[in-house]
Amino acid sequence: ISVERGIAVIDCIASDQKVLDALGAAKALFDIEGDAPPDILARLSKAAGGHIRANGYRYRKKINLELARIRRVRDLQWRGVTLVGTAIAAALISTFNYLYSVADGVEPWWLPPAVVLGVLCVLLPAAAVLVYLSLVHKRKSAGSRLGGGLGHGA
């Protein structure tokens, strides 16, 4: 799962010059002994906190929207996996029921090889699909792009 929107929010916060100046001043005050002067602390809080107060709701709204989309996609993926698994189980049960009804009263010497062949015909394509999906996921996570354009006017 990529976090493009979160990265865009951090980029927007880091692109505000007032926030960067406040962070630089805070870093300079990090190693001082004793308490920092209250007027400097108030200025730092106003500069850094002002950006969050002005844009925080918009950032939170965009991030919540992306999280809802991620949850929806994950839910749809699980539904698809469940549907495919149910279809495979139903196909196997109906095939074996048919084979046993055909073999009723006949010496079923061919039944064990047919069962093995049937299971392989189901499992090999399923394994190929899983390998393909894992490769696609690795490729997407390795080459994820920044974007989503959040900008200050979003």
Side-chain angles (χ1 to χ4, degrees):
I1 297 175
S2 78
V3 288
E4 294 174 0
R5 192 64 62 176
I7 292 171
V9 167
I10 291 172
D11 285 344
C12 287
I13 292 171
S15 67
D16 188 354
Q17 191 60 39
K18 291 179 185 177
V19 172
L20 293 177
D21 292 341
L23 289 175
K27 184 177 180 184
L29 293 174
F30 185 72
D31 292 329
I32 67 168
E33 303 240 350
D35 292 336
D39 58 331
I40 293 177
L41 290 178
R43 235 187 261 163
L44 292 176
S45 175
K46 188 175 182 181
H51 180 87
I52 299 298
R53 282 189 292 276
N55 300 303
Y57 175 75
R58 189 175 329 143
Y59 293 157
R60 190 72 181 146
K61 188 170 131 182
K62 296 282 185 178
I63 289 172
N64 285 341
L65 180 65
E66 184 175 14
L67 288 173
R69 287 181 183 150
I70 289 170
R71 283 188 205 107
R72 175 79 174 143
V73 167
R74 187 176 53 204
D75 185 45
L76 290 174
Q77 287 174 341
W78 274 111
R79 286 183 185 185
V81 167
T82 304
L83 177 67
V84 169
T86 304
I88 289 171
L92 284 174
I93 290 170
S94 64
T95 301
F96 293 138
N97 280 338
Y98 173 74
L99 289 175
Y100 278 115
S101 69
V102 168
D104 190 27
V106 179
E107 182 65 34
W109 62 267
W110 51 271
L111 196 55
V115 168
V116 170
L117 185 63
V119 169
L120 286 177
C121 287
V122 171
L123 291 181
L124 288 178
V129 167
L130 288 175
V131 168
Y132 171 76
L133 291 176
S134 70
L135 290 175
V136 167
H137 177 70
K138 284 181 184 177
R139 191 176 311 139
K140 281 185 180 179
S141 64
S144 66
R145 298 182 305 254
L146 295 180
L150 186 58
H152 291 290

